[in-house]
Amino acid sequence: MPGKRMYVHDYTRVGFYMITILTAARCRLFGECRDNRVCLSSAGELVQKRWHEIPMHQPAIETNTLVVMPDHVHGIVYVKEQLPKPVGASIRGFKSGATSAVRLLLGDPALEVWEDGYHDRVIMNADTLRAERDYIRDNPRRYCVRQAHPDFFVKVD
């Protein structure tokens, strides 16, 4: 995945942002593939619930399209009004709260849940928003096909 930030962008501004967060070491904490669908574990369901609670902590942010995958999360947030701090502050809060809840759920206070940071894309127009939503909605199918048939996918440098 390319760089993590668009350094010339003001992340307190109104707009849509696609966020991707990976689990530590791409560990499959949040579910598994069955019949080309992702079936969430209890930890995955908890992460999904926590994501939708972001607006409770920051009312200027609306959660939008979301998919929780076995080893990562893709979500779109909409910043409805200028934020006092960049959107990343709310993403860090989500990660921290989800980490605490997953550790408690799994009974492992030292569990590394997430990789450091997150990846984002600033969504600049309606066509890009539509494309990102389509990508997110289709992600479980693509992920599960890739897991079931890794030989179908060759990485070309």
Side-chain angles (χ1 to χ4, degrees), residues 86-118:
V87 70
S90 293
I91 301 306
R92 283 189 301 279
F94 157 75
K95 286 177 65 178
S96 177
T99 295
S100 296
V102 169
R103 285 175 174 171
L104 185 63
L105 175 74
L106 300 179
D108 185 350
L111 179 67
E112 291 291 327
V113 176
W114 307 108
E115 80 162 13
D116 289 342
Y118 64 93

Side-chain angles (χ1 to χ4, degrees), residues 12 16 28-29 31 57 67 80 87 93 102-103 115 133 136 138 140 143 149 155:
T12 65
F16 287 91
R28 295 181 188 150
L29 287 173
H57 304 283
V67 66
K80 302 184 289 188
V87 70
V102 169
R103 285 175 174 171
E115 80 162 13
R133 285 179 174 154
I136 288 172
D138 192 44
Y143 179 92
H149 306 284
K155 194 170 191 174

Side-chain angles (χ1 to χ4, degrees), residues 11-12 50-63 77-91 93-94:
Y11 282 90
T12 65
R50 288 293 183 145
W51 179 266
H52 291 298
E53 292 173 353
I54 291 172
M56 293 170 46
H57 304 283
Q58 178 47 266
I61 294 178
E62 181 179 292
T63 55
V77 295
Y78 174 56
V79 175
K80 302 184 289 188
E81 58 189 67
Q82 185 86 24
L83 295 170
K85 294 181 180 176
V87 70
S90 293
I91 301 306
F94 157 75

Side-chain angles (χ1 to χ4, degrees), residues 19 23 33 45 48 68 72 77 81 84-85 101 103 105 115 131 135 138 145 152:
I19 308 296
T23 59
C33 290
E45 290 173 355
Q48 184 173 22
V68 177
H72 65 283
V77 295
E81 58 189 67
K85 294 181 180 176
R103 285 175 174 171
L105 175 74
E115 80 162 13
Y135 174 85
D138 192 44
V145 167
F152 289 178

Side-chain angles (χ1 to χ4, degrees), residues 111-131:
L111 179 67
E112 291 291 327
V113 176
W114 307 108
E115 80 162 13
D116 289 342
Y118 64 93
H119 303 270
D120 69 66
R121 291 190 192 136
V122 179
I123 299 174
M124 301 289 203
N125 59 55
D127 288 338
T128 303
L129 178 59
R130 206 171 7 264

